[in-house]
Amino acid sequence: MSTSPATPSAAAEPAVKAVQVHKAFGDLHVLKGVDLTVAPGTVTVILGPSGSGKSTFLRLINQLETLTGGVIEVQGERIGVKRVEGKNGTSYLQTLTDKEIARQRSHLGMVFQRFNLFPHMTALENVMEAPVHVLKMDKREARALAVKELERVGLGERLDYYPAQLSGGQQQRVAIARALAMKPDIMLFDEPTSALDPELVGEVLGVMRSLADDGMTMIVVTHEIGFAKEVADQVVFMDGGVVVEQGGPEIIDHPKEARFQDFLQHVL
Ligand code: ADP
Ligand code: MG
């Protein structure tokens, strides 16, 4: 279980609140009314079979896709649109500008199955890139920050290595450091260990566990059931574009819904 860094007030806004989220790609209705609330400083693990809409849901939170229906709020602020007062007491929804969307997205860090590091840059340069080019941070300051984040993921000795000189697990840890360097409030992980050789999974999960221990708010899509049991505050099982079952990590040992029981039998 993660512990919150500061004592959040009882009225603290949810980090993420999704209400009746729908997403269709043309005729393909992928998410069919997903509700989810994530409290600050907690870890939510999303489980579910391939094609159930898990990645789409994370991509919606991070505005890599646009909603077909429903509402997502991040730290109390609705994403993607704002309500504008019209004449005579009417109001309407207006799509946010790219700049406003970029500001909303800056609260979120995302780590994908494929690490997508820049191959021609060292670990250090990969982590410095966004602070320098997006945040316009001074290079010296960005370098110090990148060193700190790489040390945090256990790669303080690999600063000048290129991605091709690093193992998959090390590359994924650089990707985590790169996301952390942007000082996100919430980290989204989409099957961060699925592309790794089995012997490299543990080092990445270890970094994620220490982030959780530091109080980071995290939403993690993974098939790592052990991680879910030990680290999750909340477990969500999705299938067919809906949340089928959700609860504390104990639901993994005592699933109620047949579809969740079947799924667990296949992944364990
Ligand atoms: P999961 O991550 O649970 O495996 P996804 O969210 O990736 O599921 O995909 C759910 C469904 O949506 C799949 O049928 C997938 O093919 C479809 N899908 C995802 N992204 C797109 C897209 N950009 N265009 C069309 N279909 C998509
Ligand atoms: Mg996926």
Side-chain angles (χ1 to χ4, degrees), residues 8-47:
S9 75
E13 302 270 20
V16 176
K17 185 177 177 195
V19 181
Q20 283 301 299
V21 164
H22 286 256
K23 178 64 183 178
F25 295 104
D27 290 339
L28 185 66
H29 199 171
V30 173
L31 296 180
K32 302 174 179 171
V34 173
D35 294 318
L36 182 71
T37 301
V38 173
T42 65
V43 177
T44 295
V45 169
I46 302 179
L47 304 172

mmCIF file of all heavy atoms in Angstrom, residues 8-47:
data_model
loop_
_atom_site.group_PDB
_atom_site.id
_atom_site.type_symbol
_atom_site.label_atom_id
_atom_site.label_comp_id
_atom_site.label_asym_id
_atom_site.label_seq_id
_atom_site.Cartn_x
_atom_site.Cartn_y
_atom_site.Cartn_z
ATOM 1 N N PRO A 8 -3.887 14.362 3.163
ATOM 2 C CA PRO A 8 -4.833 15.069 2.318
ATOM 3 C C PRO A 8 -6.081 15.405 3.127
ATOM 4 O O PRO A 8 -6.483 14.624 3.976
ATOM 5 C CB PRO A 8 -5.147 14.066 1.207
ATOM 6 C CG PRO A 8 -4.664 12.738 1.673
ATOM 7 C CD PRO A 8 -3.871 12.927 2.926
ATOM 8 N N SER A 9 -6.618 16.563 2.878
ATOM 9 C CA SER A 9 -7.835 16.935 3.608
ATOM 10 C C SER A 9 -8.957 16.014 3.164
ATOM 11 O O SER A 9 -8.916 15.444 2.084
ATOM 12 C CB SER A 9 -8.192 18.380 3.320
ATOM 13 O OG SER A 9 -8.734 18.494 2.022
ATOM 14 N N ALA A 10 -9.936 15.866 4.020
ATOM 15 C CA ALA A 10 -11.034 14.945 3.729
ATOM 16 C C ALA A 10 -11.720 15.325 2.421
ATOM 17 O O ALA A 10 -12.240 14.478 1.708
ATOM 18 C CB ALA A 10 -12.031 14.962 4.877
ATOM 19 N N ALA A 11 -11.681 16.601 2.101
ATOM 20 C CA ALA A 11 -12.389 17.076 0.920
ATOM 21 C C ALA A 11 -11.492 17.137 -0.315
ATOM 22 O O ALA A 11 -11.843 17.739 -1.304
ATOM 23 C CB ALA A 11 -12.970 18.456 1.194
ATOM 24 N N ALA A 12 -10.295 16.500 -0.241
ATOM 25 C CA ALA A 12 -9.372 16.561 -1.372
ATOM 26 C C ALA A 12 -10.056 16.097 -2.653
ATOM 27 O O ALA A 12 -10.795 15.119 -2.654
ATOM 28 C CB ALA A 12 -8.148 15.704 -1.089
ATOM 29 N N GLU A 13 -9.816 16.829 -3.727
ATOM 30 C CA GLU A 13 -10.363 16.454 -5.034
ATOM 31 C C GLU A 13 -9.804 15.099 -5.437
ATOM 32 O O GLU A 13 -8.627 14.830 -5.190
ATOM 33 C CB GLU A 13 -9.877 17.441 -6.100
ATOM 34 C CG GLU A 13 -10.214 18.873 -5.862
ATOM 35 C CD GLU A 13 -11.543 19.250 -6.468
ATOM 36 O OE1 GLU A 13 -12.366 18.338 -6.728
ATOM 37 O OE2 GLU A 13 -11.762 20.445 -6.647
ATOM 38 N N PRO A 14 -10.599 14.283 -6.130
ATOM 39 C CA PRO A 14 -9.999 13.077 -6.707
ATOM 40 C C PRO A 14 -8.882 13.479 -7.676
ATOM 41 O O PRO A 14 -8.960 14.532 -8.320
ATOM 42 C CB PRO A 14 -11.150 12.432 -7.470
ATOM 43 C CG PRO A 14 -12.406 13.028 -6.917
ATOM 44 C CD PRO A 14 -12.031 14.392 -6.422
ATOM 45 N N ALA A 15 -7.853 12.642 -7.772
ATOM 46 C CA ALA A 15 -6.804 12.889 -8.766
ATOM 47 C C ALA A 15 -7.401 12.729 -10.157
ATOM 48 O O ALA A 15 -7.149 13.528 -11.059
ATOM 49 C CB ALA A 15 -5.645 11.923 -8.557
ATOM 50 N N VAL A 16 -8.186 11.679 -10.306
ATOM 51 C CA VAL A 16 -8.883 11.432 -11.575
ATOM 52 C C VAL A 16 -10.297 10.977 -11.247
ATOM 53 O O VAL A 16 -10.498 10.166 -10.341
ATOM 54 C CB VAL A 16 -8.189 10.326 -12.412
ATOM 55 C CG1 VAL A 16 -8.992 10.030 -13.685
ATOM 56 C CG2 VAL A 16 -6.760 10.735 -12.776
ATOM 57 N N LYS A 17 -11.245 11.542 -11.976
ATOM 58 C CA LYS A 17 -12.631 11.092 -11.820
ATOM 59 C C LYS A 17 -13.225 10.926 -13.215
ATOM 60 O O LYS A 17 -13.282 11.897 -13.985
ATOM 61 C CB LYS A 17 -13.422 12.116 -11.017
ATOM 62 C CG LYS A 17 -14.834 11.675 -10.707
ATOM 63 C CD LYS A 17 -15.544 12.704 -9.838
ATOM 64 C CE LYS A 17 -16.975 12.287 -9.600
ATOM 65 N NZ LYS A 17 -17.765 13.413 -9.073
ATOM 66 N N ALA A 18 -13.615 9.710 -13.537
ATOM 67 C CA ALA A 18 -14.229 9.425 -14.841
ATOM 68 C C ALA A 18 -15.684 9.058 -14.594
ATOM 69 O O ALA A 18 -15.984 8.254 -13.711
ATOM 70 C CB ALA A 18 -13.512 8.269 -15.523
ATOM 71 N N VAL A 19 -16.568 9.688 -15.335
ATOM 72 C CA VAL A 19 -17.996 9.428 -15.179
ATOM 73 C C VAL A 19 -18.596 9.067 -16.536
ATOM 74 O O VAL A 19 -18.531 9.855 -17.478
ATOM 75 C CB VAL A 19 -18.730 10.659 -14.595
ATOM 76 C CG1 VAL A 19 -20.220 10.357 -14.422
ATOM 77 C CG2 VAL A 19 -18.116 11.076 -13.261
ATOM 78 N N GLN A 20 -19.091 7.854 -16.602
ATOM 79 C CA GLN A 20 -19.784 7.374 -17.814
ATOM 80 C C GLN A 20 -18.992 7.676 -19.091
ATOM 81 O O GLN A 20 -19.519 8.275 -20.045
ATOM 82 C CB GLN A 20 -21.200 7.968 -17.877
ATOM 83 C CG GLN A 20 -22.161 7.269 -16.924
ATOM 84 C CD GLN A 20 -22.262 5.771 -17.241
ATOM 85 O OE1 GLN A 20 -22.673 5.374 -18.326
ATOM 86 N NE2 GLN A 20 -21.841 4.917 -16.294
ATOM 87 N N VAL A 21 -17.760 7.250 -19.066
ATOM 88 C CA VAL A 21 -16.878 7.503 -20.209
ATOM 89 C C VAL A 21 -17.170 6.528 -21.348
ATOM 90 O O VAL A 21 -17.188 5.315 -21.150
ATOM 91 C CB VAL A 21 -15.400 7.407 -19.768
ATOM 92 C CG1 VAL A 21 -14.470 7.274 -20.968
ATOM 93 C CG2 VAL A 21 -15.043 8.640 -18.942
ATOM 94 N N HIS A 22 -17.412 7.123 -22.504
ATOM 95 C CA HIS A 22 -17.619 6.340 -23.723
ATOM 96 C C HIS A 22 -16.571 6.716 -24.747
ATOM 97 O O HIS A 22 -16.167 7.879 -24.848
ATOM 98 C CB HIS A 22 -19.001 6.621 -24.330
ATOM 99 C CG HIS A 22 -20.119 5.982 -23.562
ATOM 100 N ND1 HIS A 22 -20.772 4.851 -24.007
ATOM 101 C CD2 HIS A 22 -20.683 6.312 -22.374
ATOM 102 C CE1 HIS A 22 -21.704 4.511 -23.118
ATOM 103 N NE2 HIS A 22 -21.673 5.388 -22.118
ATOM 104 N N LYS A 23 -16.147 5.708 -25.509
ATOM 105 C CA LYS A 23 -15.270 5.978 -26.640
ATOM 106 C C LYS A 23 -15.618 5.037 -27.786
ATOM 107 O O LYS A 23 -15.709 3.819 -27.596
ATOM 108 C CB LYS A 23 -13.794 5.766 -26.255
ATOM 109 C CG LYS A 23 -12.819 5.991 -27.402
ATOM 110 C CD LYS A 23 -12.820 7.426 -27.912
ATOM 111 C CE LYS A 23 -11.890 7.613 -29.105
ATOM 112 N NZ LYS A 23 -11.949 9.007 -29.625
ATOM 113 N N ALA A 24 -15.850 5.617 -28.941
ATOM 114 C CA ALA A 24 -16.071 4.818 -30.146
ATOM 115 C C ALA A 24 -15.041 5.214 -31.185
ATOM 116 O O ALA A 24 -14.654 6.380 -31.281
ATOM 117 C CB ALA A 24 -17.488 5.056 -30.675
ATOM 118 N N PHE A 25 -14.567 4.214 -31.915
ATOM 119 C CA PHE A 25 -13.758 4.471 -33.110
ATOM 120 C C PHE A 25 -14.653 4.097 -34.283
ATOM 121 O O PHE A 25 -14.845 2.917 -34.554
ATOM 122 C CB PHE A 25 -12.489 3.616 -33.113
ATOM 123 C CG PHE A 25 -11.534 3.931 -31.998
ATOM 124 C CD1 PHE A 25 -11.430 3.096 -30.892
ATOM 125 C CD2 PHE A 25 -10.720 5.061 -32.047
ATOM 126 C CE1 PHE A 25 -10.536 3.379 -29.862
ATOM 127 C CE2 PHE A 25 -9.828 5.359 -31.023
ATOM 128 C CZ PHE A 25 -9.741 4.516 -29.937
ATOM 129 N N GLY A 26 -15.245 5.080 -34.920
ATOM 130 C CA GLY A 26 -16.234 4.771 -35.963
ATOM 131 C C GLY A 26 -17.359 3.955 -35.352
ATOM 132 O O GLY A 26 -17.942 4.360 -34.349
ATOM 133 N N ASP A 27 -17.628 2.786 -35.930
ATOM 134 C CA ASP A 27 -18.711 1.936 -35.428
ATOM 135 C C ASP A 27 -18.294 1.088 -34.232
ATOM 136 O O ASP A 27 -19.130 0.409 -33.637
ATOM 137 C CB ASP A 27 -19.174 0.966 -36.537
ATOM 138 C CG ASP A 27 -19.900 1.697 -37.654
ATOM 139 O OD1 ASP A 27 -20.380 2.817 -37.414
ATOM 140 O OD2 ASP A 27 -19.976 1.132 -38.768
ATOM 141 N N LEU A 28 -17.011 1.103 -33.924
ATOM 142 C CA LEU A 28 -16.521 0.237 -32.844
ATOM 143 C C LEU A 28 -16.637 0.960 -31.505
ATOM 144 O O LEU A 28 -15.901 1.899 -31.218
ATOM 145 C CB LEU A 28 -15.052 -0.146 -33.118
ATOM 146 C CG LEU A 28 -14.421 -1.143 -32.150
ATOM 147 C CD1 LEU A 28 -15.085 -2.513 -32.263
ATOM 148 C CD2 LEU A 28 -12.925 -1.258 -32.413
ATOM 149 N N HIS A 29 -17.584 0.488 -30.702
ATOM 150 C CA HIS A 29 -17.844 1.101 -29.395
ATOM 151 C C HIS A 29 -16.934 0.425 -28.370
ATOM 152 O O HIS A 29 -17.221 -0.689 -27.930
ATOM 153 C CB HIS A 29 -19.328 0.898 -29.059
ATOM 154 C CG HIS A 29 -19.835 1.827 -28.016
ATOM 155 N ND1 HIS A 29 -21.166 1.928 -27.692
ATOM 156 C CD2 HIS A 29 -19.203 2.709 -27.202
ATOM 157 C CE1 HIS A 29 -21.325 2.819 -26.724
ATOM 158 N NE2 HIS A 29 -20.147 3.303 -26.413
ATOM 159 N N VAL A 30 -15.849 1.085 -28.007
ATOM 160 C CA VAL A 30 -14.799 0.445 -27.208
ATOM 161 C C VAL A 30 -15.047 0.610 -25.709
ATOM 162 O O VAL A 30 -14.932 -0.342 -24.947
ATOM 163 C CB VAL A 30 -13.416 1.026 -27.592
ATOM 164 C CG1 VAL A 30 -12.338 0.502 -26.663
ATOM 165 C CG2 VAL A 30 -13.088 0.672 -29.036
ATOM 166 N N LEU A 31 -15.390 1.813 -25.272
ATOM 167 C CA LEU A 31 -15.707 2.036 -23.857
ATOM 168 C C LEU A 31 -17.188 2.386 -23.746
ATOM 169 O O LEU A 31 -17.685 3.254 -24.462
ATOM 170 C CB LEU A 31 -14.835 3.152 -23.272
ATOM 171 C CG LEU A 31 -13.333 2.870 -23.224
ATOM 172 C CD1 LEU A 31 -12.579 4.067 -22.629
ATOM 173 C CD2 LEU A 31 -13.004 1.602 -22.448
ATOM 174 N N LYS A 32 -17.850 1.695 -22.839
ATOM 175 C CA LYS A 32 -19.317 1.757 -22.805
ATOM 176 C C LYS A 32 -19.835 2.226 -21.452
ATOM 177 O O LYS A 32 -20.695 1.596 -20.862
ATOM 178 C CB LYS A 32 -19.885 0.374 -23.140
ATOM 179 C CG LYS A 32 -19.424 -0.146 -24.492
ATOM 180 C CD LYS A 32 -19.884 -1.568 -24.724
ATOM 181 C CE LYS A 32 -19.422 -2.054 -26.096
ATOM 182 N NZ LYS A 32 -19.667 -3.498 -26.260
ATOM 183 N N GLY A 33 -19.252 3.314 -20.956
ATOM 184 C CA GLY A 33 -19.745 3.847 -19.684
ATOM 185 C C GLY A 33 -18.851 3.452 -18.526
ATOM 186 O O GLY A 33 -19.274 2.742 -17.619
ATOM 187 N N VAL A 34 -17.602 3.911 -18.557
ATOM 188 C CA VAL A 34 -16.648 3.587 -17.490
ATOM 189 C C VAL A 34 -16.690 4.671 -16.414
ATOM 190 O O VAL A 34 -16.578 5.860 -16.711
ATOM 191 C CB VAL A 34 -15.212 3.461 -18.052
ATOM 192 C CG1 VAL A 34 -14.199 3.283 -16.922
ATOM 193 C CG2 VAL A 34 -15.126 2.300 -19.043
ATOM 194 N N ASP A 35 -16.867 4.247 -15.180
ATOM 195 C CA ASP A 35 -16.792 5.130 -14.019
ATOM 196 C C ASP A 35 -15.579 4.723 -13.198
ATOM 197 O O ASP A 35 -15.386 3.535 -12.947
ATOM 198 C CB ASP A 35 -18.022 4.965 -13.115
ATOM 199 C CG ASP A 35 -19.308 5.427 -13.787
ATOM 200 O OD1 ASP A 35 -19.286 6.478 -14.444
ATOM 201 O OD2 ASP A 35 -20.327 4.715 -13.655
ATOM 202 N N LEU A 36 -14.790 5.714 -12.806
ATOM 203 C CA LEU A 36 -13.638 5.392 -11.957
ATOM 204 C C LEU A 36 -13.214 6.638 -11.203
ATOM 205 O O LEU A 36 -13.150 7.721 -11.763
ATOM 206 C CB LEU A 36 -12.452 4.908 -12.806
ATOM 207 C CG LEU A 36 -11.214 4.491 -12.002
ATOM 208 C CD1 LEU A 36 -11.466 3.187 -11.262
ATOM 209 C CD2 LEU A 36 -9.997 4.340 -12.909
ATOM 210 N N THR A 37 -12.934 6.467 -9.913
ATOM 211 C CA THR A 37 -12.398 7.566 -9.117
ATOM 212 C C THR A 37 -11.083 7.123 -8.495
ATOM 213 O O THR A 37 -10.997 6.034 -7.929
ATOM 214 C CB THR A 37 -13.393 7.970 -8.002
ATOM 215 O OG1 THR A 37 -14.615 8.362 -8.631
ATOM 216 C CG2 THR A 37 -12.859 9.134 -7.179
ATOM 217 N N VAL A 38 -10.081 7.961 -8.656
ATOM 218 C CA VAL A 38 -8.746 7.668 -8.126
ATOM 219 C C VAL A 38 -8.397 8.754 -7.110
ATOM 220 O O VAL A 38 -8.356 9.941 -7.453
ATOM 221 C CB VAL A 38 -7.708 7.651 -9.269
ATOM 222 C CG1 VAL A 38 -6.299 7.513 -8.720
ATOM 223 C CG2 VAL A 38 -8.030 6.530 -10.256
ATOM 224 N N ALA A 39 -8.145 8.354 -5.878
ATOM 225 C CA ALA A 39 -7.793 9.324 -4.834
ATOM 226 C C ALA A 39 -6.318 9.690 -4.951
ATOM 227 O O ALA A 39 -5.500 8.862 -5.360
ATOM 228 C CB ALA A 39 -8.079 8.727 -3.457
ATOM 229 N N PRO A 40 -5.974 10.924 -4.575
ATOM 230 C CA PRO A 40 -4.562 11.320 -4.629
ATOM 231 C C PRO A 40 -3.704 10.417 -3.749
ATOM 232 O O PRO A 40 -4.141 9.980 -2.682
ATOM 233 C CB PRO A 40 -4.559 12.751 -4.072
ATOM 234 C CG PRO A 40 -5.968 13.161 -3.886
ATOM 235 C CD PRO A 40 -6.856 11.971 -4.054
ATOM 236 N N GLY A 41 -2.498 10.140 -4.236
ATOM 237 C CA GLY A 41 -1.562 9.350 -3.442
ATOM 238 C C GLY A 41 -1.858 7.865 -3.409
ATOM 239 O O GLY A 41 -1.298 7.149 -2.585
ATOM 240 N N THR A 42 -2.743 7.407 -4.286
ATOM 241 C CA THR A 42 -3.077 5.981 -4.293
ATOM 242 C C THR A 42 -2.672 5.330 -5.610
ATOM 243 O O THR A 42 -2.403 6.016 -6.598
ATOM 244 C CB THR A 42 -4.591 5.743 -4.089
ATOM 245 O OG1 THR A 42 -5.314 6.269 -5.208
ATOM 246 C CG2 THR A 42 -5.082 6.393 -2.801
ATOM 247 N N VAL A 43 -2.645 4.007 -5.589
ATOM 248 C CA VAL A 43 -2.308 3.221 -6.781
ATOM 249 C C VAL A 43 -3.541 2.429 -7.213
ATOM 250 O O VAL A 43 -4.105 1.672 -6.426
ATOM 251 C CB VAL A 43 -1.154 2.239 -6.481
ATOM 252 C CG1 VAL A 43 -0.856 1.379 -7.709
ATOM 253 C CG2 VAL A 43 0.088 3.007 -6.038
ATOM 254 N N THR A 44 -3.940 2.651 -8.458
ATOM 255 C CA THR A 44 -5.043 1.885 -9.038
ATOM 256 C C THR A 44 -4.463 0.960 -10.096
ATOM 257 O O THR A 44 -3.729 1.412 -10.978
ATOM 258 C CB THR A 44 -6.073 2.827 -9.691
ATOM 259 O OG1 THR A 44 -6.675 3.633 -8.668
ATOM 260 C CG2 THR A 44 -7.159 2.049 -10.424
ATOM 261 N N VAL A 45 -4.746 -0.316 -9.998
ATOM 262 C CA VAL A 45 -4.308 -1.265 -11.031
ATOM 263 C C VAL A 45 -5.516 -1.674 -11.848
ATOM 264 O O VAL A 45 -6.547 -2.071 -11.298
ATOM 265 C CB VAL A 45 -3.617 -2.497 -10.409
ATOM 266 C CG1 VAL A 45 -3.419 -3.587 -11.469
ATOM 267 C CG2 VAL A 45 -2.262 -2.105 -9.815
ATOM 268 N N ILE A 46 -5.392 -1.542 -13.159
ATOM 269 C CA ILE A 46 -6.455 -1.962 -14.076
ATOM 270 C C ILE A 46 -6.047 -3.281 -14.724
ATOM 271 O O ILE A 46 -4.988 -3.376 -15.350
ATOM 272 C CB ILE A 46 -6.724 -0.900 -15.162
ATOM 273 C CG1 ILE A 46 -7.107 0.440 -14.518
ATOM 274 C CG2 ILE A 46 -7.818 -1.381 -16.111
ATOM 275 C CD1 ILE A 46 -7.377 1.568 -15.524
ATOM 276 N N LEU A 47 -6.881 -4.280 -14.529
ATOM 277 C CA LEU A 47 -6.671 -5.594 -15.133
ATOM 278 C C LEU A 47 -7.743 -5.803 -16.203
ATOM 279 O O LEU A 47 -8.807 -5.194 -16.140
ATOM 280 C CB LEU A 47 -6.827 -6.695 -14.073
ATOM 281 C CG LEU A 47 -5.954 -6.614 -12.816
ATOM 282 C CD1 LEU A 47 -6.395 -7.686 -11.804
ATOM 283 C CD2 LEU A 47 -4.491 -6.805 -13.187
#
